[in-house]
Every structure is written in structure tokens, then in C-alpha cells.
Amino acid sequence: METIKGLKRTNYCGELRLSDAGKEVTLFGWCQRQRDLGNLIFIDLRDRTGIVQLSFNDATDREVFAKAQSVRAEYVVALVGTVCERESKNKDLPTGDIEINVKEFRIISKAETPPFEIANSQKVGDETTLKYRYLNLRNQKLTQNILMRHKIAKIAREYFYANDFIEIETPMMIKSTPEGARDYVVPSRVHNGKFYALPQSPQIYKQLCMVAGFDRYIQLARCFRDEDLRADRQPEFTQIDLEMSFVDTDDILEMSEGFIAKLMKETIGVEISTPLPRMTFAEAMEKYGSDKPDTRFDMLINDITEWADGTDFVVFKNAIEAGGSVKAIVAKNAATTYTRKKIDKLTEHAKGIGAKGLAYIRWADEEPNCSFAKFLKDGELESLINKLGAEKGDCVFIVSDKTSLALSVMGALRLVIAKELDIIPEGKWNYLWITEMPFFEQDEETGEWVAMHHPFTMPMEECIEYLDTDKGKVRAKAFDLVLNGTELSSGSMRITDCQLQNKMFELLGMSQEEIDAKFGFLVEAYHYASPPHGGMGIGLDRLAMLICGADSLRDVTAFPKVQNASELMSGAPSTIDDIQLDELGISIAKAEKENVQ
């Protein structure tokens, strides 16, 4: 193999244009494709910025021409050549107006035939591409996603540095404290039998930075949560983590909005108007059935409890008598799409997410077809249709149950129906703040009240009186940032009074001994005075996923985990040897294999 000795890169492949014609350049990269036409050879050379065409012809030095003939996919090559205007231009390629007439050519490294074609690697099954992730990342789409993620991180640092934030690294091995998910733990060799936890967030440490007086903290923080994975969740992730002192909620939201506006403009050229719209948690649930509503389309949830209570339909009556409600959505122009068979399928989906059934009105013909018409008195169906504003061609879907369940089911169905009707507009960026979150939520099985957020969240002042008497009335100074139905961030004002903080732990069922053991150092810190402060963490991964138009966090993560939290390329997690286990004082119970005769 040859070396690059004496060669210095002058340009990246994807940055050359027709204005560079006549310029001598030195390029390095990977061969994506070679086309040998006899007296002409073309090579598509790729690096992280894009692709440019190399040309070899009758005038090319014969030794150089012979090397070009021997090149195969994914060879690493170096070259010196002149930028020329192409005869046959490629409008689909940013460099499609030019090619490089090569005069010096070196093969730096040869490649075996890859297990898949790099250019089409996104079409290959996940298991194969993730096993050879270093090859998959050469795909231009994935390369650009990773570069976009880098750009987002760069803009974040620039913006917050310009606003006097200090980047402070917090520990990666910490004390295990409850934060809502299971911890990943690290055994200590020095302190046998004791464990560190990997941080689910830098929450306590960034609050202590405020106590210490740093007043504006920023960190691109790595976080770890041992929970079930899905398309928008990885066990390790990055958040743009910030905290501010001597502020209120509006200050934090305003600062974050400035970042979002700058980010959208500098990444994809989209102007975002600020201030961003706000919606209370209660309003979001009532209208959209979700605390992360997609507001790009209408189809809002209607409360028809009062109407339903006047009917003789026992399904509705039972739900209402049990303290529940009846909710409906109108799917405009859906009667053609939603045949009886399709409605049956939607009903099964509704049952799968907790509903007991799905009532409907399908108005495809002159008269609407109502699944519960025989239980209605004269005029009641017409009254409902008028109340909902339904018209010929529409479908109405109805769920009756406990209010929280009816809303969540309708919220989920709203998204399913919108996707099937293809009414979610592309190119819209609907950012939304969700405010006044409930402080507690009730566990349906045990009836116990648990914190909806981490236990350091400040209740709204007017709700503090209900902490002991009516937890359902307590709202938090908490806020989420939502984009097109995806939660991007969670934040809040923090408790800074040591007595109130201790009380919140007690209300969550913790004994004083447990409080002291798990959070004593934080409560003690507040004895030495703390400024009012709050903050939030913006999910860098999810932000990158949405800006790139990707379907999964895997597409914006260099080396992602799969559903069972394993990493296929390296084989993590893996076993460790007995010597390491002995040093850590750990023994692993191994199931005895039965002898099969």
C-alpha cells in the first residue's frame, strides 16, 4: 500500500463547485463506485462532506490509469488533480457540475467486499448494519445526521457561552438516588459491596452549583437510564442541561426560546417566532389527550358527557355514574377511508391501549350509520352531530370510561387516525410549552400518590396548602417543551427551602432515616442559603432526530443500542473474568445445566 507522504489535503470532496474550475486540488477519501468504460474511468470519491467524480482518460498517465482500473468499492485513495467542468452534469449532486481530472493517484488502503452496499445501507436490516456500524456510518445520510448532531451541540455551546453560562462537568459516578427509572450501577473495588450509579441526570449536582454561586450552568450531559427502549429512547443519551439562579419560570423559558430560534435558523434556515405558545397540562389533556400534543393538525377531543347522560345507552351511563366521562373526535372526510373492516381494526387498537370498546358514527351515505343508534331516542343523534359539527363524509369516534383513560385513548387514536388519513402536514415546526403540570399522580393499583417529576420540583405557591389535604390539586412550577408531538425537554423551578424539601420527601413516603441516607447532603446544603433557581434539560438526541427527519434515535447516534440494550458491533454487555469479579467482591449465580441423557 502507498502512503500519503508529501500530500496535504487542500479541499473536502463535497465543497468543490464550478467556481473552483482550473484549481489544482489534493483530495482523500473512499471510493463509493468505480465505472470502467474502457478508455474512460470514473470514480465517485466520498468523504464526510459529500461525493465528487474523478475522471481518468486517454491523456491520463498509464500507471495512474492502471491504478484506477484496480480500485474497488471502499478503497481509501489519495489524489492530485484539476477541477474541470463536467460535460454530463448531475443536478442531484451538489458537486454535479464538476469533476476532477486526476494526474496523481495513490491507493492507501484496500477493502474487502463490504457485507452491504454502503450507499444503500439504510435499506439493509438493522442487525447487519449495526454489527458493521462503522461501515453503515459511511452512508451519506447517516454521516450528515451525525454532522447535524455536532452542529446542534456547537450552536448550543456558542449560544449559552454568549449568555454568560459556565460549562461545568458533573460526576459520572455518583450516589444512587431515586429519579424515576432504574440506575445503571458500577461496583467499587476499593469499597467492596458498595456501588456507584451512572447519573440519570446531573440534577442534584447542578442545583448544588447554584448553591455554590455559579448562577448560570450549562453542560452537554451524558445521562443513563435502565428502562425499556423505543424509537425515541436510548439507555444512554445527551441533554443540553442548564440551570439559572435569581430567575423565575419566564426567564428560563425566554432563555431557552432564544436558543431554539437560533438553532432552527442556523441548522435548517427556519424562522421560529417567539415567545413560543404555552398551554397548561389540563388544557393539553382535555383537547389533545396528551401532555405532548401534536398541534400541527386539528381533530380536537370533544366532551359529550352531558349529551351522553341524557341517552339510554347503558355503556355511556355506566361510565358517567362511575365518575367517568364520554369523549369524541370528529375525523373529517374519513368515511371513505374508514370502512367497517377498518373501524373494527381501530376498535381492536383502542382495546389494546385500555378502552373497553369504541363507539362510532360513519356518515358515508345519505344517512349516518351509528353503532349505538338503537339506544337513542328521536333527535338525539341529530343533536350530537350538530353539537360536534360533523358532516356527510365524516366519522365520529367515541370512548366512554374513567376520564383519564378516555382522554389518553382518544389522544392515541387521534394520532393513529391522522397518520392513516395523511393529514399531518410536513415542514411545520410547532413548538409548544406545557405548563402547570400536576405535582403528584395517583398509582391506579395502589392508590398511592407519587411524584410526577423529580422530588426537587417547586409546587406553585397557591397549591402548597393542599400538600397534606388534597394532593390532586397540587400543581408544579414545571414545564415541558414539545415539538410536533415529541417531548424535547423537562424543567422546573426548584425547592430551595430545607424544611419544604424535607416535607416533600416525607409526602413521597420516605422515612427521615431514608431521607438522610439518600438526600441528606442536599437538604444540609440548603441550611447554608440557596438562591432561587430553576432549569431544564433539552434532549439533544431527540432534537437532532426531529431536525434530521429521522425515524429513530439510532439514526442520529453514532453507536446505538438495540431493543435489549445491547450493542451489536462490540458485543456489549459482555462477561468479565473471575479475577475482576473477585477484586470487586462479586459472585454471579450461574444456573446449573441439567445433564440430558
Side-chain angles (χ1 to χ4, degrees):
M1 294 295 98
E2 298 173 275
T3 69
I4 60 170
K5 186 176 181 181
L7 298 180
K8 294 292 181 182
R9 177 166 24 207
T10 61
N11 298 86
Y12 282 96
C13 297
E15 66 184 23
L16 295 168
R17 297 295 184 268
L18 192 56
S19 58
D20 295 304
K23 178 181 177 180
E24 185 173 279
V25 295
T26 301
L27 306 177
F28 305 137
W30 284 259
C31 170
Q32 179 149 302
R33 185 169 63 138
Q34 186 251 42
R35 288 162 289 157
D36 189 343
L37 306 179
N39 60 339
L40 279 176
I41 296 175
F42 296 107
I43 291 176
D44 291 338
L45 187 70
R46 181 189 69 240
D47 64 19
R48 76 183 196 197
T49 64
I51 294 172
V52 69
Q53 179 172 284
L54 312 181
S55 68
F56 306 79
N57 52 41
D58 289 339
T60 304
D61 179 89
R62 290 299 89 186
E63 184 179 346
V64 169
F65 195 90
K67 288 181 185 178
Q69 281 183 312
S70 70
V71 167
R72 297 292 179 266
E74 300 310 313
Y75 277 28
V76 176
V77 301
L79 65 105
V80 178
T82 304
V83 180
C84 304
E85 183 173 4
R86 278 174 68 163
E87 290 185 13
S88 178
K89 294 182 172 61
N90 183 348
K91 294 181 180 180
D92 296 328
L93 208 60
T95 60
D97 290 338
I98 56 105
E99 63 186 13
I100 312 300
N101 196 338
V102 179
K103 70 173 185 180
E104 182 179 347
F105 193 69
R106 302 183 191 178
I107 297 175
I108 307 303
S109 181
K110 293 182 178 180
E112 296 180 7
T113 302
F116 47 81
E117 186 181 353
I118 302 299
N120 294 318
S121 64
Q122 287 182 298
K123 298 179 182 179
V124 181
D126 271 355
E127 188 169 334
T128 302
T129 53
L130 289 172
K131 181 178 180 180
Y132 298 94
R133 184 64 169 180
Y134 46 86
L135 297 179
N136 190 205
L137 285 170
R138 295 181 188 175
N139 175 279
Q140 277 292 292
K141 177 62 177 173
L142 282 180
T143 298
Q144 293 309 308
N145 287 354
I146 298 300
L147 292 176
M148 177 60 79
R149 184 190 171 106
H150 159 73
K151 190 172 186 178
I152 293 169
K154 180 174 180 286
I155 291 169
R157 284 195 164 98
E158 289 172 349
Y159 174 79
F160 288 106
Y161 288 175
N163 282 282
D164 297 323
F165 282 74
I166 304 162
E167 184 156 12
I168 302 174
E169 291 185 349
T170 53
M172 296 292 281
M173 296 193 302
I174 67 173
K175 183 176 186 175
S176 179
T177 56
E179 279 204 42
R182 288 181 294 272
D183 285 330
Y184 281 102
V185 295
V186 180
S188 169
R189 177 186 60 82
V190 177
H191 304 280
N192 258 211
K194 294 186 177 181
F195 298 81
Y196 302 100
L198 300 181
Q200 294 186 34
S201 76
Q203 185 61 48
I204 295 178
Y205 285 97
K206 69 178 180 178
Q207 289 188 236
L208 291 172
C209 285
M210 298 300 103
V211 176
F214 287 104
D215 110 82
R216 288 193 171 193
Y217 144 98
I218 184 69
Q219 182 181 193
L220 269 61
R222 294 293 285 166
C223 306
F224 307 83
R225 294 182 183 178
D226 185 3
E227 53 190 356
D228 295 335
L229 304 193
R230 58 191 187 205
D232 64 349
R233 182 185 286 168
Q234 282 277 303
E236 49 188 317
F237 57 96
T238 303
Q239 62 185 39
I240 303 166
D241 202 49
L242 62 117
E243 198 80 6
M244 302 170 68
S245 291
F246 306 110
V247 295
D248 58 22
T249 296
D250 288 340
D251 296 316
I252 299 170
L253 269 53
E254 183 180 340
M255 182 62 67
S256 302
E257 288 172 352
F259 165 63
I260 292 297
K262 175 182 173 70
L263 177 74
M264 296 299 289
K265 185 175 182 180
E266 295 187 12
T267 53
I268 55 177
V270 171
E271 297 278 354
I272 296 293
S273 297
T274 58
L276 299 177
R278 301 184 189 183
M279 184 182 297
T280 65
F281 175 90
E283 184 182 358
M285 293 304 299
E286 192 65 30
K287 290 183 176 180
Y288 297 93
S290 172
D291 60 355
K292 46 181 183 296
D294 190 337
T295 59
R296 289 175 294 174
F297 62 99
D298 292 326
M299 206 191 307
L300 303 185
I301 298 172
N302 297 272
D303 184 4
I304 60 169
T305 307
E306 186 177 348
W307 171 88
D309 197 27
T311 72
D312 294 328
F313 189 26
V314 68
V315 174
F316 292 166
K317 301 286 278 187
N318 287 346
I320 297 168
E321 288 172 4
S325 56
V326 186
K327 305 293 181 180
I329 54 175
V330 179
K332 304 299 291 183
N333 303 308
T336 302
T337 301
Y338 278 95
T339 61
R340 178 57 190 272
K341 184 177 180 180
K342 194 102 173 188
I343 291 175
D344 288 344
K345 187 175 180 181
L346 188 65
T347 301
E348 289 306 309
H349 181 80
K351 290 179 178 178
I353 54 176
K356 296 181 179 67
L358 183 66
Y360 68 87
I361 302 168
R362 179 174 179 263
W363 198 347
D365 303 315
E366 287 304 314
E367 295 297 325
N369 176 26
C370 176
S371 65
F372 51 96
K374 64 182 179 180
F375 302 104
L376 300 180
K377 298 183 285 290
D378 287 345
E380 287 183 335
L381 179 57
E382 291 76 9
S383 172
L384 177 59
I385 287 173
N386 290 334
K387 176 180 174 66
L388 295 173
E391 302 170 310
K392 184 179 179 180
D394 298 345
C395 284
V396 178
F397 298 103
I398 303 170
V399 169
S400 56
D401 213 308
K402 185 170 63 175
T403 300
S404 58
L405 180 61
L407 286 172
S408 64
V409 169
M410 293 307 282
L413 292 184
R414 176 179 176 268
L415 293 176
V416 170
I417 293 166
K419 289 174 183 176
E420 291 185 340
L421 295 179
D422 195 23
I423 61 172
I424 304 176
E426 297 292 332
K428 288 188 75 174
W429 301 89
N430 283 24
Y431 284 93
L432 174 70
W433 289 110
I434 302 297
T435 62
E436 298 186 28
M437 319 286 283
F439 196 97
F440 298 100
E441 59 183 341
Q442 195 167 23
D443 187 293
E444 292 186 7
E445 293 183 4
T446 65
E448 293 182 359
W449 290 93
V450 296
M452 196 166 178
H453 313 276
H454 58 66
F456 322 114
T457 302
M458 182 69 185
M460 299 183 77
E461 280 81 0
E462 64 268 30
C463 298
I464 291 178
E465 62 178 291
Y466 300 118
L467 286 173
D468 292 310
T469 59
D470 193 346
K471 292 184 175 61
K473 283 188 177 181
V474 183
R475 287 168 290 126
K477 286 189 175 181
F479 39 85
D480 286 353
L481 181 60
V482 175
L483 171 58
N484 294 349
T486 296
E487 180 189 318
L488 286 182
S489 77
S490 219
S492 70
M493 296 300 296
R494 322 301 190 188
I495 297 171
T496 55
D497 178 84
C498 57
Q499 291 182 334
L500 180 57
Q501 183 64 82
N502 205 75
K503 180 179 180 64
M504 296 310 301
F505 290 139
E506 290 175 351
L507 288 172
L508 295 172
M510 297 174 66
S511 66
Q512 190 60 50
E513 184 180 8
E514 191 178 2
I515 295 168
D516 293 340
K518 292 181 177 178
F519 298 107
F521 63 100
L522 177 67
V523 176
E524 183 179 15
Y526 289 153
H527 284 278
Y528 298 96
S530 168
H533 62 271
M536 61 190 299
I538 304 172
L540 191 155
D541 316 71
R542 290 185 181 179
L543 197 53
M545 180 181 75
L546 293 172
I547 287 177
C548 292
D551 296 323
S552 167
L553 290 183
R554 293 182 188 181
D555 296 332
V556 294
T557 304
F559 300 100
K561 304 291 191 295
V562 295
Q563 187 69 33
N564 64 1
S566 65
E567 196 242 287
L568 299 182
M569 184 193 69
S570 68
S574 61
T575 58
I576 60 175
D577 60 39
D578 290 338
I579 295 175
Q580 290 174 287
L581 290 172
D582 289 342
E583 287 177 337
L584 295 169
I586 293 175
S587 61
I588 297 176
K590 299 179 181 179
E592 293 183 5
K593 295 182 180 179
E594 296 182 2
N595 293 324
V596 179
Q597 300 296 332

